[in-house]
């Protein structure tokens, strides 16, 4: 049996805009998903995720199942597999669980089949899987989950930035949603108001580029201000909602340097930055809004065979 694990992620800047070719900055976190795979002679593939066992054509495990189909197609091979997924990430809540499942499944399958795949190659195959499942996907999630660290992504170009030396706070509404549905709603809004939405997405791109400089300068006040501007732009394309906005404002009122949604939005999580001395106060403010604070920190660790 081979086990591979991969991290979840948060977006400092640029979710949604990155789907339309604008840049984004995403950071791996120290919460991970591990996927164990054993090839079986029956030829059937079954997935066991957190105790739930299903056949591999089930909607519920579509990323893992699509990863299996993609590996079979790309490497012109056929097999059955027992796949066991264990997760420290809430699923469908904007922390990149789909990308982590996808890349850890691809890597573990490759190892089982004796195929050598660098992590960046896994990320590229993972991007094909996410695109097939979601209709549209940027390369951001699978890249950061494969390589770890803080990543700047612009179209197909990716680079690592220096690690972020400030605590993060993740507030989880507990509300699950489908990334594809939220992406589709942005696409509909763009179709209805093409030049307006194109300008908003391009402004998000400008925010990300400025954010990259603030990160390099370790200007955390500036970084927080830009996160707040990014949140305003995300609000304007309809991907925030009442529960998320309440968490964002609670965090800011408690002294967070910046707070915004992370990931697709419309449910899921918010990300706040706070100085060391203020983490407790910001966390308590989030909990007071009936949300959960998930302990997490930035991580340089990417996809790994265990
Ligand atoms: O909510 P998540 O973790 O699936 O992130 C989605 C991020 C988007 O930019 C909306 C889509 C993408 O593929 O980058």
């Amino acid at each position: 049996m081979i086990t591979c694990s991969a991290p979840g992620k948060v977006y400092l800047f640029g979710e949604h805009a990155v789907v339309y070719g604008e840049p984004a900055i995403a950071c791996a976190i120290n919460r991970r998903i591990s996927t164990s795979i054993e090839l079986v002679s029956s030829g059937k593939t079954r997935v066991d995720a957190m105790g739930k066992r299903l056949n591999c054509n089930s909607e519920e495990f579509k990323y893992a199942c699509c990863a299996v189909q993609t590996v079979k197609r790309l490497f012109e091979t056929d097999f059955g597999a027992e796949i066991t997924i264990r997760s420290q990430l809430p699923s469908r809540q904007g922390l990149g669980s789909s990308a982590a499942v996808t890349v850890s499944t691809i890597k573990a399958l490759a190892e089982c089949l004796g195929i050598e795949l660098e992590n960046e190659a896994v990320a590229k195959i993972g991007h094909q899987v996410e695109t097939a499942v979601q209709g549209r996907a940027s390369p951001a999630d699978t890249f950061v989950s494969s390589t770890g660290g803080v990543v700047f992504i612009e179209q197909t170009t990716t680079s690592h930035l220096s690690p972020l030396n400030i605590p993060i706070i993740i507030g989880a509404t507990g509300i699950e949603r489908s990334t594809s549905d939220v992406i589709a709603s942005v696409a509909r809004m763009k179709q209805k108001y093409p030049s307006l939405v194109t300008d908003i997405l391009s402004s998000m791109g400008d925010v990300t580029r400025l954010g990259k400089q603030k990160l390099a300068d370790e200007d955390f006040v500036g970084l927080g201000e830009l996160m707040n501007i990014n949140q305003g732009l995300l609000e304007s394309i309809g991907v925030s909602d009442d529960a998320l906005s309440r968490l964002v404002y609670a965090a800011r009122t408690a002294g967070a340097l910046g707070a915004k949604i992370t990931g697709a939005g419309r449910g899921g999580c918010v990300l706040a930055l706070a100085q060391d001395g203020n983490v407790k106060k910001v966390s308590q403010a989030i909990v007071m809004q009936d949300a959960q604070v998930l302990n997490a920190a930035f991580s340089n660790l990417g996809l790994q065979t265990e």
Side-chain angles (χ1 to χ4, degrees):
M1 186 167 67
I2 303 275
T3 300
C4 292
S5 73
K9 62 94 206 10
V10 288
Y11 273 98
L12 266 182
F13 301 107
E15 53 273 268
H16 289 291
V18 71
V19 176
Y20 295 92
E22 295 294 336
I25 298 176
C27 317
I29 57 173
N30 61 353
R31 283 178 169 254
R32 302 177 69 83
I33 285 186
S34 78
T35 302
S36 304
I37 298 188
E38 198 166 8
L39 297 187
V40 289
S41 53
S42 70
K44 290 203 174 113
T45 293
R46 291 179 68 82
V47 184
D48 173 327
M50 311 301 277
K52 209 182 222 184
R53 273 179 70 76
L54 288 170
N55 285 327
C56 207
N57 49 11
S58 117
E59 257 289 287
E60 191 145 349
F61 300 136
K62 49 191 178 185
Y63 289 94
C65 300
C66 183
V68 168
Q69 297 309 333
T70 305
V71 167
K72 284 185 182 178
R73 180 174 50 77
L74 289 177
F75 298 100
E76 295 175 348
T77 177
D78 200 12
F79 51 82
E82 284 288 336
I83 303 178
T84 308
I85 299 167
R86 294 290 174 263
S87 176
Q88 299 170 334
L89 294 166
S91 57
R92 296 156 65 89
Q93 289 199 52
L95 297 181
S97 61
S98 50
V101 164
T102 301
V103 300
S104 57
T105 302
I106 295 167
K107 179 81 173 180
L109 282 174
E111 298 250 335
C112 286
L113 295 164
I115 299 165
E116 251 185 62
L117 275 184
E118 297 292 327
N119 283 359
E120 294 203 11
V122 175
K124 285 193 180 133
I125 299 173
H127 180 219
Q128 291 184 29
V129 171
E130 289 219 318
T131 305
V133 174
Q134 292 169 197
R136 265 176 200 272
S138 76
D141 281 26
T142 50
F143 186 80
V144 75
S145 193
S146 297
T147 64
V150 181
V151 174
F152 181 83
I153 294 128
E154 185 155 22
Q155 302 204 354
T156 50
T157 315
T158 43
S159 56
H160 278 95
L161 307 178
S162 38
L164 192 60
N165 293 316
I166 184 162
I168 57 162
I169 299 155
I170 297 173
T173 60
I175 301 166
E176 294 185 13
R177 81 290 177 281
S178 135
T179 296
S180 347
D181 290 351
V182 189
I183 290 177
S185 77
V186 174
R188 279 195 300 275
M189 191 180 271
K190 189 164 179 290
Q191 220 167 25
K192 196 164 176 189
Y193 303 107
S195 72
L196 203 56
V197 174
T198 301
D199 285 352
I200 293 168
L201 295 170
S202 144
S203 294
M204 288 183 190
D206 292 342
V207 170
T208 301
R209 287 184 200 95
L210 288 170
K212 186 182 178 198
Q213 190 53 51
K214 299 285 179 208
L215 256 176
D217 298 342
E218 299 221 320
D219 173 358
F220 298 128
V221 171
L223 204 62
E225 284 168 357
L226 290 170
M227 285 171 71
N228 293 342
I229 294 173
N230 199 158
Q231 171 65 13
L233 296 167
L234 288 162
E235 286 266 4
S236 73
I237 57 166
V239 297
S240 197
D241 63 14
D242 180 45
L244 290 165
S245 296
R246 272 189 292 118
L247 297 193
V248 162
Y249 280 101
R252 287 184 199 163
T253 307
L257 296 175
K260 61 181 273 295
I261 68 168
T262 177
R266 293 257 197 85
C269 297
V270 300
L271 168 71
L273 284 197
Q275 304 281 19
D276 276 320
N278 220 9
V279 170
K280 206 169 160 196
K281 198 169 162 210
V282 173
S283 303
Q284 279 167 348
I286 289 174
V287 170
M288 291 289 286
Q289 298 295 323
D290 287 335
Q292 207 191 341
V293 170
L294 302 177
N295 284 326
F298 290 115
S299 169
N300 272 324
L301 207 60
L303 179 57
Q304 269 203 328
T305 305
E306 311 215 314

